[in-house]
Amino acid sequence: MTAGLDVLYRLGAQVPALALAGRPLADQARRLDTLLAHTSWTADTLLAALAAPFEGPVRTSAGAVVSARITALPATPAHVPEQSRTRSDATGARIRRVRAECTECGRPPEAGTDLCAECAGWPRCPACRIYRTPDGTPCRHCADTAPALAEPVGRCTGQDGAGCGAPLLAIGPLGPLCGRCEADVRRARAARDAQWDAAVQAAGAAAEAGSVQ
């Protein structure tokens, strides 16, 4: 048994609502093993933080709550504010929560609300599809790391030459066409080729019929 598993088994005994099993138990135990191996967190301080009482009803799985609480832990326990301890039962001391939590799932809430971004219904960032923003615009990470947009080399002339006006970053094999117009041109050429083949076959069939007569 690893130290992380031991912490989670103790957590389940102390807070039955957070008892884990199977894949969630193994996944969260690995995260705790990493914290115990590479930070100043100890098994006791981790257990105290994870066993913090709930501020309201829990409407999600124990695995989601434990995962959110591990994610919300500061880098070192030295950053955790002083916490008062009160004897609650024979299993040990209960400790106030380290940080505020979403009232729906237990994840850290967004500023100015009691809900996390997912429970608040925020749309995902259109660039990375990972983080969520209130209005669906790119998240701060994507906005800060987005590459500079390349200057267009021209405008699409359109299938019939009238020009759809879409900016082009490169000129394709069929000329200055955007992807949509290039597909239209290819379909039109394929239709003309099919008509030509059909006409040739019809002419050949008519010639063959005439020679037989």
Side-chain angles (χ1 to χ4, degrees), residues 76-134:
T76 64
H79 295 161
V80 179
E82 289 295 324
Q83 300 166 333
S84 61
R85 296 175 177 265
T86 58
R87 295 293 300 178
S88 57
D89 52 38
T91 60
R94 300 292 181 110
I95 300 179
R96 290 184 317 200
R97 70 177 61 250
V98 176
R99 294 183 180 179
E101 295 175 354
C102 170
T103 56
E104 293 290 332
C105 69
R107 297 185 182 93
E110 297 298 324
T113 178
D114 293 331
L115 300 174
C116 68
E118 181 175 353
C119 292
W122 289 7
R124 293 186 183 275
C125 166
C128 66
R129 307 298 299 171
I130 297 176
Y131 301 105
R132 297 175 183 267
T133 59

Side-chain angles (χ1 to χ4, degrees), residues 24-75:
L25 175 65
D27 290 345
Q28 303 312 316
R30 281 194 293 269
R31 298 178 66 189
L32 294 183
D33 287 335
T34 299
L35 287 174
L36 291 168
H38 301 289
T39 72
S40 56
W41 283 95
T42 65
D44 289 338
T45 54
L46 283 173
L47 176 63
L50 297 178
F54 302 105
E55 292 181 354
V58 178
R59 300 184 178 88
T60 188
S61 66
V65 173
V66 172
S67 176
R69 289 191 169 188
I70 294 175
T71 300
L73 291 173

Side-chain angles (χ1 to χ4, degrees), residues 178-205:
C178 66
R180 184 178 60 181
C181 290
E182 182 174 318
D184 290 341
V185 169
R186 291 184 184 277
R187 282 194 293 267
R189 288 186 178 182
R192 288 196 299 269
D193 290 343
Q195 291 175 351
W196 173 257
D197 290 341
V200 170
Q201 291 176 2

